[in-house]
Amino acid sequence: QETDRVGLMGFLPRDLLIAVWRAAQKHCCVCGQSGATIMCCVPECDRWFHLPCAKEGGCVNVYVIPFRSFCPEHRPEQEVEATPEPGTECPICMEPVEDRMTFTTLVCPMCKRAWFHRDCIQGQAMRAGALYFQCPLCRDSEEFRVEMFIMGIRIPFRLPTWEDNDAFAELGVRHGQCNARDCLYPGGREEAEEGGPWELLLCSSCAAEGTHRRCSGLTNSIDTWECDTC
C-alpha cells in the first residue's frame, strides 16, 4: 500500500493471512520446521528459512533495498584478496579470528588489516548506527559500510546508542565543587565566590577537580592551579 495507515503497517489483513498460510507450507532449510517466511532470492533456489535461524544456518539478509535474502549456498562472499596473519585478533573483542574469510569472520575491504567476528561487527553496527559505523582500524566509513551491508550486517539508520537519553550530557557540565581534602569555605564545597580567596579554580589540565584558593593555600594573584592527579 502507499501508506502505512492502511491495514497493519500498510499490509491488508487478507495479504497477511495469505502469507501465514504460505509459510505454513514451507519448511526451514536450517531447522526443518514449518513456518519459514524468507526465501532465497536466487531464481532456481527453493530454500526457505526462518529469520531467527538465518545466522545459525549461515543465511544472509541484506537490510537495504532491494532487501534480498540468500541461503547458505548462494550467499554473497567477500572478494577481498587477503588472509589474516597467524594470531590475528578481532579489534572489538580481542579474541582470535579464523585463519581465513568465512561466514563468521569478515575483513575490512579498505585496509585489509581489520579482521573481526560477524557477531562483534554486528554489535558495533547496532551501537554506532549508520552515521558513525566505520572500520575499527582504518576508520573508513563509506566503502566499509557498503561492504557490510552486502555481507548482511544490519546497520540501523539512527543516532548511536551513546547519545540516547543524554548519556554523556554530564561531560558538558562544568565542575563545580572544591576537592581539597579539608574545604575551609563556610558555605561548603558546592559554593564559591566570583573572586578573592573563595573563588573556585579548576585544574588547568583536566578541569575535573577544583579548589577554593584558600583551601589549597593559594594567593589571590594565582589564576591557575593543577590537581595532585595531574
Side-chain angles (χ1 to χ4, degrees):
Q1 300 294 323
E2 295 182 356
T3 173
D4 58 9
R5 296 181 181 179
V6 177
L8 180 61
M9 298 184 68
F11 295 95
L12 296 176
R14 178 192 60 197
D15 297 329
L16 293 174
L17 291 174
I18 292 175
V20 171
W21 177 85
R22 183 176 61 180
Q25 317 304 313
K26 303 297 181 181
H27 289 77
C28 176
C29 65
V30 179
C31 71
Q33 299 297 313
S34 62
T37 57
I38 303 176
M39 178 181 66
C40 179
C41 68
V42 177
E44 63 271 16
C45 183
D46 61 353
R47 292 185 178 89
W48 292 68
F49 53 91
H50 300 114
L51 179 60
C53 295
K55 186 179 72 171
E56 178 185 348
C59 306
V60 166
N61 293 304
V62 180
Y63 293 94
V64 290
I65 296 174
F67 299 105
R68 297 184 299 174
S69 297
F70 301 87
C71 70
E73 182 178 342
H74 299 115
R75 70 185 180 217
E77 303 286 348
Q78 286 194 278
E79 298 179 356
V80 182
E81 295 183 1
T83 303
E85 297 180 359
T88 297
E89 296 180 345
C90 170
I92 301 174
C93 71
M94 305 307 294
E95 293 293 331
V97 297
E98 296 180 76
D99 58 0
R100 58 189 175 85
M101 279 183 287
T102 65
F103 175 73
T104 58
T105 298
L106 304 174
V107 63
C108 172
M110 296 302 292
C111 66
K112 302 179 183 179
R113 295 185 298 108
W115 292 81
F116 32 79
H117 303 112
R118 175 177 288 270
D119 286 348
C120 293
I121 202 64
Q122 178 61 79
Q124 178 170 311
M126 297 303 292
R127 291 186 294 271
L131 187 61
Y132 289 95
F133 185 57
Q134 58 187 3
C135 171
L137 290 187
C138 71
R139 305 303 182 188
D140 176 80
S141 58
E142 293 187 9
E143 295 295 332
F144 180 73
R145 188 163 52 236
V146 170
E147 180 83 353
M148 293 301 104
F149 267 132
I150 294 174
M151 290 299 107
I153 299 301
R154 182 186 175 193
I155 311 171
F157 290 91
R158 59 163 175 74
L159 291 175
T161 56
W162 55 79
E163 293 190 7
D164 291 348
N165 302 318
D166 294 326
F168 294 91
E170 61 182 28
L171 295 179
V173 179
R174 186 177 186 272
H175 187 76
Q177 72 172 21
C178 175
N179 296 105
R181 185 177 63 178
D182 297 316
C183 180
L184 306 176
Y185 188 50
R189 295 181 181 274
E190 305 290 338
E191 301 296 330
E193 297 179 3
E194 293 295 330
W198 302 119
E199 181 180 359
L200 186 69
L201 300 181
L202 298 186
C203 174
S204 58
S205 294
C206 69
E209 292 192 17
T211 181
H212 297 112
R213 281 195 176 93
R214 180 166 296 179
C215 296
S216 292
L218 307 176
T219 64
N220 291 349
S221 61
I222 295 179
D223 293 323
T224 61
W225 165 81
E226 198 169 50
C227 68
D228 293 338
T229 302
C230 296

